[in-house]
Every structure is written in structure tokens, then in C-alpha cells.
């Protein structure tokens, strides 16, 4: 009996240990799978998806921005595909253009570049594609009406420097140059001109803004677009819903949104839809109208100075 008891105790001990191990594994958070796609994307689960250069190649870039090097453009030779892909490599591990399936990834690239194209378009209609074909026509505000210097103790204006709009999604005001410069580890407060001298940096600043909320506890344009953001009751009452429309709210607030069916909003939306068509996704993939516009949305930040 003694030997049988010993065997029984040993078996029970093994069973208990196995049960405790299973419970321990169940309680432990599942380790995120990390993938390595080389220099463009490595070290996170996002990199297990296609990279942007897998889905969006140089011929796509050339078609979207077909008129950017036309002699009448204002930034001939500045913007190029390599600069965009190099800039995006900093953010692809965090989900930029690498979140979700292939269609979502392509839609995000189209959405981001829709903003870029609309904000840097010369607006000429005399071309195939009309004004939508003129994205990346310039890299800085052509006729600044002021220096955009405002008193700020954290990011005081550098004497003699002007903070008018520069870049792919133009940066305005000394504070915004300071914040973006800190994030990118470049002294943009003293040298805002870097954004009109270096296309990779100009794209980096734009993607950083796309990926970064204006304020804590608010979503980034990336989050509202790819579905990371879940609207609160207040958001629903303010008619803010996931989709392209709310990216405009996150980036520009009431400069564009909550103003009804205005030209500024329609221009951005039109670029996005046009780029979806050119990339072979099709504008029908944009979703219902109320998710694409922000005409009736209340701004996250009801001031005109919160955006870059």
C-alpha cells in the first residue's frame, strides 16, 4: 500500500504542476510576434504585413503626382518616391501603412497622400486629372501673409525667423515647429527652412503629425482611420465617426470641419477619392458619405490654431 500511495501522490503532484503551468500560461500576455522586413520595417507585428513599398511603388507615386515637376510647378525636382519611402520607414513599425489587411494598408497610404496632395497642389485645372494631378507642386507657402510667430515660453521664436507653412502637410507657428522638431530630433524652431530643403524630413514631419494626436486622450488621424479609435458617447453626439472624415478633424479641426459642404473639405476628400481610383482600390472602398466627410462634425479642439 505504501508504494501505491507514493505513486498516487507522485501522479497527483504531476497533474497539479501541469494545471498550474497551464494557468500561468493563460494568465501571461501573449507575446507579440515580431517580423523583420529589413530597413523599411522590423521588430513589430505590423512588419509581418506588407510594407508600403510592396503595395505602393514608384509608378504609383509618379501617377499620383504626375505634374509635380512640370516647369510651372514651384518645387521642381524636390519631391520623390525614395524620400517618401525613406520617411515612412520610421513609422511603418508603428503601423503607418502596415495596419490591417492589404486594402486597409493601401487606403491609409491614399488617405495620407490625399491630405498631402490637397495641401501642396497648385490647383491648376489644365491637366489630365485636373487640379488633383498637381499635388506636391510646392513645398512652402507661396505668399505668406505673416511670420506666424506667437509668444511662447517653451518654444520662443528665433529672431529673424518666420514660421509660415512648410512641408508635405504644412507646419505653421513656432510652437508647432518646436514640437515637431523635438519629435524628429531636428532643430526646426531655429531652422524651419529645413522642411523646404529636405524632402525626406518634410515627409517625416507630415507622417509624424498623421500618427500623433494634437492632445493627449485624443486620437491621431491614423487611429481614427484604421479603426484603433472607438468613439465615446460625446463623439457620437458630435457626429465624429471612424473614417477619413475624422482625419480632417484630427488634423485641422474647425478650420475645415463643422463648416458644412465647403470647398476646403471637398478638395481634400476629392484628392483622397481620386487617389483610391488611381491606386486600383476604387473610391467605393472609402465607405459611406458620412464617414468620408466632416461637414457636420464638431471639432475635437474648437479653435483654429490647434493644427499644423
Amino acid at each position: 500500500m505504501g508504494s501505491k500511495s507514493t505513486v498516487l501522490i507522485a501522479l497527483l503532484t504531476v497533474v497539479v504542476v501541469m494545471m498550474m503551468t497551464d494557468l500561468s500560461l493563460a494568465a501571461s500576455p501573449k507575446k507579440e510576434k515580431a517580423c523583420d522586413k529589413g530597413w523599411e520595417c522590423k521588430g513589430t507585428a505590423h512588419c509581418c504585413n506588407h510594407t508600403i513599398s510592396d503595395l505602393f511603388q514608384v509608378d504609383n507615386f509618379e501617377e499620383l503626382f504626375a505634374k509635380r515637376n512640370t516647369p510651372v510647378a514651384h518645387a521642381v525636382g524636390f519631391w520623390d518616391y525614395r524620400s517618401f519611402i525613406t520617411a515612412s520607414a520610421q513609422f511603418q513599425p508603428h503601423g503607418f501603412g502596415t495596419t490591417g489587411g492589404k486594402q486597409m494598408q493601401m487606403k491609409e497610404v491614399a488617405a495620407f497622400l490625399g491630405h498631402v496632395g490637397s495641401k501642396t497642389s497648385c490647383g491648376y485645372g489644365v491637366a489630365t486629372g485636373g487640379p488633383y494631378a498637381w499635388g506636391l507642386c510646392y513645398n512652402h507657402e507661396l505668399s505668406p501673409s505673416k511670420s506666424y510667430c506667437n509668444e511662447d515660453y517653451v518654444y520662443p521664436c528665433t529672431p529673424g525667423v518666420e514660421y509660415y507653412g512648410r512641408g508635405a502637410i504644412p507646419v505653421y507657428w513656432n510652437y508647432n515647429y518646436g514640437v515637431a522638431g523635438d519629435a524628429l530630433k531636428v532643430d526646426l524652431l531655429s531652422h524651419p527652412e529645413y522642411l523646404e530643403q529636405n524632402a525626406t524630413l518634410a515627409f517625416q514631419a507630415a507622417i509624424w503629425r498623421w500618427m500623433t494626436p494634437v492632445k493627449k486622450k485624443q486620437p491621431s488621424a491614423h487611429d481614427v482611420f484604421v479603426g484603433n479609435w472607438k468613439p465615446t458617447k460625446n463623439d457620437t453626439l458630435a457626429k465624429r465617426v471612424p473614417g477619413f472624415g475624422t482625419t480632417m478633424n484630427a488634423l485641422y479641426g474647425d478650420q475645415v470641419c463643422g463648416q458644412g459642404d465647403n470647398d476646403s473639405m471637398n478638395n481634400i476628400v476629392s484628392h483622397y477619392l481620386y487617389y483610391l481610383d488611381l491606386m486600383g482600390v476604387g473610391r467605393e472602398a472609402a465607405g459611406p458619405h458620412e464617414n468620408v466627410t466632416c461637414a457636420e462634425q464638431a471639432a475635437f479642439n474648437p479653435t483654429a490654431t490647434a493644427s499644423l
Side-chain angles (χ1 to χ4, degrees):
M1 289 292 292
S3 61
K4 288 183 178 180
S5 298
T6 302
V7 172
L8 183 59
I9 292 170
L11 288 172
L12 288 171
T13 301
V14 170
V15 171
V16 170
V17 170
M18 290 177 66
M19 290 177 64
M20 291 179 66
T21 301
D22 288 342
L23 287 171
S24 176
L25 290 172
S28 300
K30 187 177 180 181
K31 188 175 181 180
E32 183 185 67
K33 180 181 179 183
C35 294
D36 190 343
K37 292 289 184 70
W39 69 273
E40 192 176 348
C41 196
K42 57 185 177 181
T44 73
H46 292 297
C47 300
C48 299
N49 297 330
H50 292 289
T51 60
I52 291 179
S53 62
D54 290 331
L55 303 172
F56 181 75
Q57 300 178 348
V58 64
D59 58 328
N60 301 119
F61 185 89
E62 295 295 334
E63 188 172 17
L64 261 62
F65 305 114
K67 300 297 178 181
R68 72 186 192 283
N69 291 325
T70 301
V72 295
H74 299 277
V76 175
F78 183 76
W79 303 103
D80 64 290
Y81 174 78
R82 181 181 179 85
S83 295
F84 172 60
I85 296 299
T86 302
S88 72
Q90 181 177 343
F91 300 93
Q92 290 189 62
H94 303 291
F96 174 66
T98 54
T99 298
K102 179 179 178 180
Q103 186 182 75
M104 175 56 77
Q105 292 175 248
M106 294 183 73
K107 283 174 62 179
E108 183 175 14
V109 173
F112 170 76
L113 291 177
H115 283 279
V116 170
S118 67
K119 291 297 179 180
T120 59
S121 176
C122 291
Y124 303 125
V126 287
T128 303
Y132 312 132
W134 289 93
L136 298 181
C137 184
Y138 61 83
N139 55 3
H140 64 275
E141 188 177 0
L142 299 180
S143 301
S145 59
K146 55 185 177 181
S147 64
Y148 296 94
C149 172
N150 202 359
E151 184 175 313
D152 189 281
Y153 295 106
V154 180
Y155 296 107
C157 300
T158 300
V161 171
E162 297 187 338
Y163 298 97
Y164 55 80
R166 300 173 176 89
I169 295 179
V171 182
Y172 292 86
W173 298 101
N174 48 303
Y175 172 80
N176 292 317
Y177 276 97
V179 172
D182 283 353
L184 299 173
K185 296 179 171 54
V186 179
D187 185 9
L188 294 178
L189 188 63
S190 298
H191 297 283
E193 72 276 6
Y194 288 168
L195 292 185
E196 58 185 283
Q197 295 173 349
N198 185 313
T200 298
L201 183 60
F203 275 127
Q204 284 176 328
I207 301 171
W208 172 79
R209 170 46 65 215
W210 176 264
M211 298 293 292
T212 307
V214 171
K215 291 184 178 180
K216 291 182 179 180
K217 298 184 179 180
Q218 290 184 1
S220 65
H222 166 78
D223 286 335
V224 302
F225 189 81
V226 303
N228 291 341
W229 170 66
K230 304 301 179 187
T232 65
K233 182 178 180 180
N234 286 339
D235 290 316
T236 302
L237 291 172
K239 299 186 178 181
R240 297 189 290 260
V241 295
F244 184 78
T246 308
T247 69
M248 293 183 281
N249 200 329
L251 292 172
Y252 319 120
D254 53 15
Q255 291 180 357
V256 170
C257 298
Q259 309 294 326
D261 194 33
N262 65 80
D263 289 342
S264 180
M265 181 196 72
N266 288 334
N267 181 266
I268 300 168
V269 171
S270 295
H271 275 81
Y272 170 50
L273 298 178
Y274 182 69
Y275 290 175
L276 283 177
D277 286 341
L278 288 186
M279 290 172 64
V281 179
R283 64 182 59 207
E284 63 276 5
H289 180 74
E290 61 269 21
N291 292 74
V292 178
T293 75
C294 63
E296 305 302 324
Q297 290 185 17
F300 282 111
N301 302 298
T303 66
T305 59
S307 64
L308 288 186

